[in-house]
Amino acid sequence: MAANSITTILDPYECIAKKNRKYASECTEVHLSNRGAESISDQFFHFGNVEVVWFQGNRLSRIENLESNFRIKEVYIQDNRLVSLAGLKSFKFLQVLLASGNQLRNLDKQLALLSRFAFLKKLDLFDNPVAEEPDYRLRLIYHVPQVQILDQSSVKGPERLRADEVVPNMDSVTATKNEKPAPKAPNSSLLERECLMAARNIKEQRRLKDRMIWRFWTGSPGCAVDERLAKTSPWKRDEQRLACFLKKKKEEALLG
């Protein structure tokens, strides 16, 4: 029983004749299927030239420790327990991804990731919860147009045309539903609105005055006129009105 409780790790060194760095650096395929493993070894760092990995039939819940293996082109990871494909991000040359029989959900999230793989030609996601979402196939064809074989079936021309017609409307409806309504402005009295306007005027006038002074010191033309305008602006009056309003509110709070 104790032996069964030990977590099995997928170790790439098990796939080469001699367990040294030289053989590891020359390895291009790693076969680690049906091991009952729950994690991936960090030793993949030594296998920088790997292009194909076979991980199907394990118990992996995520893809990890493969960030440095950017040359990987084919991933076979069917029948695991994956809840995320985020560990594939560094595989910029990915061409084949077979990930059926997992626990992948949230089609929007998967589309955002899969659309990044410009060379992806073959994709399997059937037997995942994500494949049960409405218009799953059409949306994948539209957002990941480079895929030629989806769920063991070739993507046909009519399907692409249908996706081009239907999916943009779906996405716009979804975006509209997800938009949060703008918060309602609280009811305010006329005096409050006037004071808010006064505060904005003060801020703007100060900003303009600071800019005029800066222009004066930097020798820009027209500064003398700008300075006179700044001196005659009404922001001083607005300051007094705002101070009066704040004093009144403070008195109301004390009486209440």
Side-chain angles (χ1 to χ4, degrees), residues 245-256:
F245 171 73
L246 293 175
K247 181 179 179 182
K248 182 179 178 182
K249 282 294 182 182
K250 186 175 180 180
E251 291 174 351
E252 289 177 356
L254 291 174
L255 292 174

Side-chain angles (χ1 to χ4, degrees), residues 104-105 107 125-134 136-137 151:
L104 299 170
R105 303 175 185 275
L107 182 55
L125 292 178
F126 62 89
D127 288 342
N128 278 282
V130 70
E132 303 301 321
E133 294 192 28
Y136 149 81
R137 185 174 175 89
D151 292 341

Side-chain angles (χ1 to χ4, degrees), residues 101-160:
N102 282 283
Q103 296 299 318
L104 299 170
R105 303 175 185 275
N106 192 331
L107 182 55
D108 289 331
K109 182 179 179 180
Q110 307 308 331
L111 291 175
L113 174 66
L114 295 170
S115 61
R116 300 171 52 169
F117 302 123
F119 303 102
L120 187 61
K121 303 300 180 187
K122 186 175 181 179
L123 175 65
D124 279 357
L125 292 178
F126 62 89
D127 288 342
N128 278 282
V130 70
E132 303 301 321
E133 294 192 28
D135 302 295
Y136 149 81
R137 185 174 175 89
L138 282 179
R139 293 188 65 197
L140 254 171
I141 291 171
Y142 180 81
H143 289 286
V144 197
Q146 60 271 33
V147 170
Q148 298 175 0
I149 302 175
L150 175 58
D151 292 341
Q152 302 180 348
S153 176
S154 297
V155 178
K156 306 294 185 182
E159 281 186 303
R160 294 192 185 279

